[in-house]
Amino acid sequence: MNEDQTTRVTSVQSVLDGAPTGNECLVVIYGANIGRKYELFEDVVSIGRDPDNTIVLESDSVSRRHARIEKLMDARFIIDMDSTNGTYLSDTPVKPRAKLASGAFIKIGDTIFKYLAGDHIETAYFEEIYRMMVVDGLTQIANKRALDDFLDKEMARSRRYKRPLSALMMDIDHFKQVNDVHGHLTGDVVLKEMAAVIMKRIRREEMFARYGGEEFVIVLPETDRLGGIEFAEDIRRMVEEMTVSFEEQSIRISISVGVAEFDHARHRSWEDLIKAADKNLYVAKREGRNCVRG
């Protein structure tokens, strides 16, 4: 278990020990304190940077009094309190309020909450905790831990049956410029929408995972190097043709992709395969970006 996973488990356990149980809660699925659960016992719950808020988020991207959740009749609403960076419900700005449904995603600054409600909230909470162990909270695709497990299994199968296996390493070209010019909230939307576009091309037996930051990995069982290059060209074109629209901004992006085929003689571990794909990714970036090399 790596440090990030240990932090998640520790956070979850500290919340569970002796915690009361209600039928509504917010769970942090992205940002600091992943896995933390906030029970919603009160009719009004305030969220912000000031220490007197019900839920305190210590981040410069969060206003002192950023948002509040109110219970009106039998419904819950999220209300933005004229925050600097806005409050978002599933990437839609809250202006000034929006009704919450169980399973809704609330973004405040660099934190994403999932709202859970109902008679079986503890079951839903534990299911969400399990998902956090294998799913990236921002993009909702597989995370690095799930990728590691998948690669271990597929490399063992490839060795045993002498079947081809390829890996693609990609990142978004000039992504730092997207964040610097348009802001980190827009950058997050770019990551999510790009992941959603590529996910449409991924089959059940393949793996698409966020490796870290703007880097992503695709693992293609039963695919040799040439097949991997052809697949990479398909997704490169898909991304080049997409337009990300967010808060009256339209952004075009591109990706660079490195492809490597599993070499039974040279690659002793999945890390070796990923390093080979990463090496070809840097060749693609050095040769002008928005291209595939393998």
Side-chain angles (χ1 to χ4, degrees):
M1 183 176 291
N2 62 35
E3 182 178 351
D4 179 57
Q5 293 157 14
T6 302
T7 300
R8 292 185 186 204
V9 172
T10 301
S11 173
V12 170
Q13 189 60 50
S14 65
V15 174
L16 291 178
D17 290 341
T21 300
N23 62 357
E24 293 178 286
C25 71
L26 295 179
V27 183
V28 179
I29 66 166
Y30 187 76
N33 299 314
I34 290 178
R36 182 164 184 178
K37 178 172 68 170
Y38 294 94
E39 299 279 359
L40 303 182
F41 291 114
E42 302 171 1
D43 287 347
V44 178
V45 175
S46 60
I47 305 171
R49 202 170 72 244
D50 272 357
D52 60 347
N53 284 286
T54 313
I55 298 175
V56 179
L57 300 178
E58 297 178 352
S59 170
D60 291 340
S61 63
V62 177
S63 297
R64 295 185 180 278
R65 297 185 179 277
H66 197 108
R68 69 178 185 268
I69 295 176
E70 288 187 1
K71 189 171 186 178
L72 301 174
M73 302 296 288
D74 293 327
R76 282 279 187 181
F77 292 83
I78 179 76
I79 301 168
D80 183 71
M81 300 173 68
D82 294 323
S83 63
T84 301
N85 292 318
T87 302
Y88 295 85
L89 185 63
S90 300
D91 292 330
T92 300
V94 174
K95 295 181 178 179
R97 69 175 61 206
K99 187 176 180 179
L100 294 176
S102 187
F105 296 100
I106 301 168
K107 184 163 189 180
I108 294 178
D110 50 10
T111 298
I112 300 176
F113 296 97
K114 190 169 186 178
Y115 171 70
L116 300 176
D119 295 333
H120 304 288
I121 190 171
E122 282 302 291
T123 300
Y125 174 57
F126 282 110
E127 289 175 351
E128 195 60 37
I129 292 303
Y130 172 76
R131 277 178 50 80
M132 286 181 212
M133 300 301 291
V134 295
V135 174
D136 175 60
L138 177 65
T139 61
Q140 294 295 296
I141 64 172
N143 64 13
K144 190 173 181 296
R145 180 188 180 185
L147 173 67
D148 294 353
D149 293 343
F150 186 84
L151 278 167
D152 280 340
K153 179 186 71 175
E154 288 302 323
M155 288 185 72
R157 192 177 73 87
S158 177
R159 280 197 181 97
R160 181 176 181 181
Y161 298 107
K162 303 296 188 291
R163 304 301 299 165
L165 174 70
S166 292
L168 283 58
M169 172 74 84
M170 71 193 77
D171 72 7
I172 299 175
D173 297 328
H174 305 296
F175 186 67
K176 183 179 183 299
Q177 184 176 341
V178 173
N179 281 331
D180 290 345
V181 174
H182 301 283
H184 287 273
L185 291 176
T186 302
D188 285 350
V189 173
V190 167
L191 291 171
K192 289 180 65 175
E193 294 203 9
M194 187 205 72
V197 165
I198 293 176
M199 195 65 199
K200 295 175 183 177
R201 182 67 172 77
I202 305 299
R203 297 180 297 181
R204 184 187 301 271
E205 62 270 24
E206 299 165 346
M207 167 64 77
F208 177 38
R210 188 180 181 190
Y211 195 73
E214 70 271 24
E215 289 187 323
F216 295 80
V217 169
I218 297 176
V219 183
L220 303 175
E222 303 292 334
T223 305
D224 61 14
R225 184 182 70 88
L226 292 179
I229 291 173
E230 182 179 353
F231 185 101
E233 280 290 352
D234 284 346
I235 62 170
R236 185 199 63 77
R237 285 192 294 269
M238 290 170 65
V239 173
E240 185 180 34
E241 292 168 1
M242 68 180 284
T243 299
V244 178
S245 298
F246 181 68
E247 292 195 330
E248 301 180 353
Q249 303 175 89
S250 294
I251 301 168
R252 303 292 296 271
I253 60 171
S254 64
I255 58 173
S256 299
V257 190
V259 180
E261 182 178 356
F262 177 39
D263 187 317
H264 294 213
R266 293 190 301 113
H267 299 154
R268 298 298 178 184
S269 67
W270 65 258
E271 287 94 341
D272 294 333
L273 175 60
I274 293 299
K275 285 178 182 176
D278 192 47
K279 182 178 179 180
N280 286 329
L281 167 61
Y282 276 90
V283 172
K285 292 166 73 173
R286 190 171 60 245
E287 294 184 358
R289 295 182 168 85
N290 192 23
C291 63
V292 175
R293 294 293 181 267

